Amino acid sequence: MVEIIKAGAEHIEIVLSLRLKMLKVVNGGRKCFDGEFIKRSREFFLNGDQSTVLAYDGETAVGCATICYVSLMPTFDHPDGRRAHIMNVYTKEEYRRQGIAGQMMNILLEDARVRGVTYADLDATDMGKPLYETLGFSPSDEYMRLNLLQD
């Protein structure tokens, strides 16, 4: 039976390992993550406003998910300005389609509700979209992005 726990600082290396596996899957294995990327990721997990959960089958970590919190100027739709972005939802291939990602998501969404978050978003892969739709997420055309790194 798989157990879901909230990750603490003592789990940082497991969280980073699963995150890198997830990013390689999402990016088709074509990205190399340098020391600075790993350093900044570690710092965020240790010091950032986030919650991460890990799924364990016995002693083996088989999944992870993170919710990051941000505060923006309040709006009418979001009077306290608290928002969240869900990232790094990952389950090892042999553990997929067993409800593990859904369990992790439910824990993170409850964490957000307790914190008074009025809005949570995420970037979904095609594989993940059906899960997120069952949890109530819907596609949004609300956001546009500007890449400030472009020449």
Side-chain angles (χ1 to χ4, degrees), residues 1-18:
M1 175 154 184
V2 173
E3 177 187 15
I4 313 293
I5 65 161
K6 285 199 175 184
E10 67 275 18
H11 301 105
I12 186 67
E13 295 310 318
I14 294 165
V15 169
L16 289 174
S17 173
L18 289 171

Side-chain angles (χ1 to χ4, degrees), residues 55-68:
Y56 277 92
D57 182 5
E59 299 290 318
T60 305
V62 300
C64 65
T66 297
I67 189 166
C68 303

Side-chain angles (χ1 to χ4, degrees), residues 65 89-91 95 98-106 131-132 135:
V89 180
Y90 174 74
T91 306
Y95 287 88
Q98 298 179 29
I100 297 168
Q103 290 176 50
M104 292 188 297
M105 287 291 297
N106 283 327
L131 166 66
Y132 305 132
L135 294 171

Side-chain angles (χ1 to χ4, degrees), residues 36-47:
E36 185 64 22
F37 179 88
I38 293 169
K39 176 185 167 199
R40 287 177 179 243
S41 295
R42 181 178 283 112
E43 287 172 359
F44 186 82
F45 278 111
L46 293 174
N47 304 313

Side-chain angles (χ1 to χ4, degrees), residues 31-125:
K31 295 234 178 180
C32 179
F33 306 105
D34 64 14
E36 185 64 22
F37 179 88
I38 293 169
K39 176 185 167 199
R40 287 177 179 243
S41 295
R42 181 178 283 112
E43 287 172 359
F44 186 82
F45 278 111
L46 293 174
N47 304 313
D49 192 3
Q50 59 82 30
S51 291
T52 296
V53 292
L54 289 167
Y56 277 92
D57 182 5
E59 299 290 318
T60 305
V62 300
C64 65
T66 297
I67 189 166
C68 303
Y69 296 101
V70 295
S71 292
L72 302 173
M73 188 179 300
T75 65
F76 291 116
D77 291 335
H78 312 286
D80 66 358
R82 293 286 292 164
R83 299 187 188 187
H85 185 78
I86 297 167
M87 310 176 62
N88 306 322
V89 180
Y90 174 74
T91 306
K92 287 184 177 180
E93 189 171 358
E94 61 271 25
Y95 287 88
R96 293 181 186 155
R97 304 272 182 234
Q98 298 179 29
I100 297 168
Q103 290 176 50
M104 292 188 297
M105 287 291 297
N106 283 327
I107 291 169
L108 294 180
L109 293 171
E110 182 57 27
D111 188 75
R113 286 183 191 96
V114 167
R115 290 176 181 233
V117 169
T118 54
Y119 183 88
D121 66 12
L122 53 78
D123 298 316
T125 62

